[in-house]
Amino acid sequence: MNEHSNWYEFSKGIIKENPNLVTLLGMCPTLAVTTLASNGIGMGLATTFVLVCSNLVISVLKNVIPKAVRLPCYIVIIAGFVTLIDFLMKGYLPALHSQLGVFLSLITVNCIILGRAEAFASKNPVFKSVLDGLGMGIGFTLTLFCMGSIRELLGTGSWFGLSVPWLSKHPMTVFIMPAGGFFVMGILIAIVCKLKDRKPPKEIGCSSCPHKESCSDEQKAECDGKEAEAV
Amino acid sequence: MSYIMIIVSCVFVNNIVLSQFMGICPFLGVSKQVKSSVGMGAAVIFVMVCATAVTYPIYLLLERFEITYLRTIAFILVIALFVQLVEMILKKKLPPLYRALGVYLPLITTNCAVLGVTIGNIDNDYTFTQSLTNAFGTGAAFTLALVLFSGVRARIEDCDFPETFKGVPATMIAAAIVSLSFMGFSGII
């Protein structure tokens, strides 16, 4: 992986390996907080901050952390930064903090962060890990911004709180409800697949799972066996 | 709030998957067959109830020393260790149960529904028994959503979608429709 340029490591997260739309990680916050465009951006930036910091620290400590207990170690590092951003937001952006609510604490278990720690930061030099975190974070933020904009425009007829002339007369409330979240996400994944001219991922399976390297072979076989049966 | 109200509220009205968007990854990943979704659901109920029983006293301890801001770190660490412990105990003592739940256990550590429930119990000021009821109800809600959705998915396998929508996009849109049907329960409490 070392032959890739720094620019590649940075830019791959934005479109080519977009964590939401291509590798289908971190679905929960993507669907839950994107009822408003501003919430999407806030959540995206908070996650980017945690992603960059945890990638940095994990990459620095990659030779110190024993392999057997690496997952708990990563989780503690991530949870530390989440607590930090939680405090910062409570202090400086209290309105956004109350909008995001419990999902701010749940950044800890966002599989994008653990997935990047496991798949990238634990194997690569520090500078590249930071770039990777930044790229993935920006990709995540952009997706959340798109989702939030679509849902806010169609659901409430406004954008960042400014009402849009024609749409505000005919808001489709279903788009800011949970069902609308699933719907917009499905359409976005389909559009990205169409633009990239490739088939959409068949299933969310073992290959994109952040736990894939910690699973025993027996468990992997069972996971894949179940998939093979289902297909 | 009475215990029945808590259960009805978390199973139908505020279904954790379909209206609060927690635990979407296992919801989409493991719902391919009814059998595996029941297994996953059982593992989640078990871990949720036990994790609540463990984290509730820990929160009291954090409160005692006025360091409640450490709750995210403390809870996730306890859940991760607990899941590991359960896996080891089941492997040694109850091999049949381990074979049934084993695959799903490591996945549960990063299932945000478990952390979400333990934090939600604290935010809602539930008592210890109310917390346990809430954890059980939420686990049951997760299982219900998973089992219902695995039935829906068996049907959409046979449908003729446009090429771009085959696979995950179709699954998402089906999830939207299932979630729409749960909106009918809103307002009954």
Side-chain angles (χ1 to χ4, degrees), chain A residues 145-165:
Chain A
F145 170 65
C146 287
M147 283 278 291
S149 301
I150 296 173
R151 289 179 70 186
E152 192 181 353
L153 273 173
L154 295 177
T156 63
S158 58
W159 197 49
F160 286 101
L162 303 166
S163 73
V164 176

Side-chain angles (χ1 to χ4, degrees), chain A residues 177-178 199-201 203 211, chain B residues 18 77 110 153 163 166 168 183:
Chain A
M177 295 197 162
K199 284 191 177 167
E203 301 295 349
H211 291 281
Chain B
L18 297 168
L77 202 58
T110 47
R153 275 182 86 163
E163 199 55 39
K166 273 188 185 149
V168 172
M183 270 169 57

Side-chain angles (χ1 to χ4, degrees), chain A residues 18-92:
Chain A
N18 185 300
N20 284 118
L21 299 174
V22 179
T23 53
L24 301 172
L25 294 173
M27 287 296 184
C28 308
T30 316
L31 294 167
V33 300
T34 52
T35 48
L36 296 171
S38 54
N39 283 0
I41 291 192
M43 185 68 190
L45 292 182
T47 310
T48 307
F49 171 80
V50 178
L51 195 54
V52 170
C53 295
S54 66
N55 262 10
L56 173 74
V57 173
I58 288 166
S59 180
V60 168
L61 296 178
K62 63 178 177 284
N63 296 323
V64 182
I65 297 172
K67 213 159 170 43
V69 290
R70 65 188 190 288
L71 282 183
C73 292
Y74 296 164
I75 292 178
V76 173
I77 292 170
I78 296 167
F81 285 114
V82 170
T83 310
L84 193 67
I85 193 82
D86 193 34
F87 269 131
L88 285 174
M89 249 190 198
K90 209 181 217 165
Y92 292 101

Side-chain angles (χ1 to χ4, degrees), chain A residues 60-226:
Chain A
V60 168
L61 296 178
K62 63 178 177 284
N63 296 323
V64 182
I65 297 172
K67 213 159 170 43
V69 290
R70 65 188 190 288
L71 282 183
C73 292
Y74 296 164
I75 292 178
V76 173
I77 292 170
I78 296 167
F81 285 114
V82 170
T83 310
L84 193 67
I85 193 82
D86 193 34
F87 269 131
L88 285 174
M89 249 190 198
K90 209 181 217 165
Y92 292 101
L93 300 163
L96 188 61
H97 183 267
S98 63
Q99 283 269 340
L100 297 180
V102 74
F103 279 92
L104 212 50
S105 307
L106 293 183
I107 296 178
T108 321
V109 280
N110 187 328
C111 18
I112 296 174
I113 301 177
L114 198 63
R116 289 329 285 172
E118 179 84 16
F120 199 90
S122 60
K123 293 177 197 134
N124 283 283
V126 176
F127 185 61
K128 280 197 168 147
S129 302
V130 171
L131 284 180
D132 175 75
L134 200 60
M136 288 288 167
I138 291 174
F140 182 67
T141 312
L142 279 179
T143 319
L144 257 64
F145 170 65
C146 287
M147 283 278 291
S149 301
I150 296 173
R151 289 179 70 186
E152 192 181 353
L153 273 173
L154 295 177
T156 63
S158 58
W159 197 49
F160 286 101
L162 303 166
S163 73
V164 176
W166 185 75
L167 284 170
S168 57
K169 276 191 193 143
H170 313 280
M172 291 174 269
T173 324
V174 71
F175 275 98
I176 54 168
M177 295 197 162
F182 283 112
F183 184 75
V184 173
M185 190 76 206
I187 301 280
L188 272 185
I189 295 174
I191 291 175
V192 167
C193 290
K194 184 81 187 167
L195 291 180
K196 292 183 59 170
D197 200 23
R198 65 179 187 94
K199 284 191 177 167
K202 187 96 176 103
E203 301 295 349
I204 303 173
C206 218
S207 56
S208 64
C209 174
H211 291 281
K212 121 183 115 179
E213 287 175 38
S214 63
C215 278
S216 65
D217 286 340
E218 178 195 350
Q219 287 169 332
K220 262 187 211 165
E222 197 158 333
C223 237
D224 288 339
K226 281 213 167 91

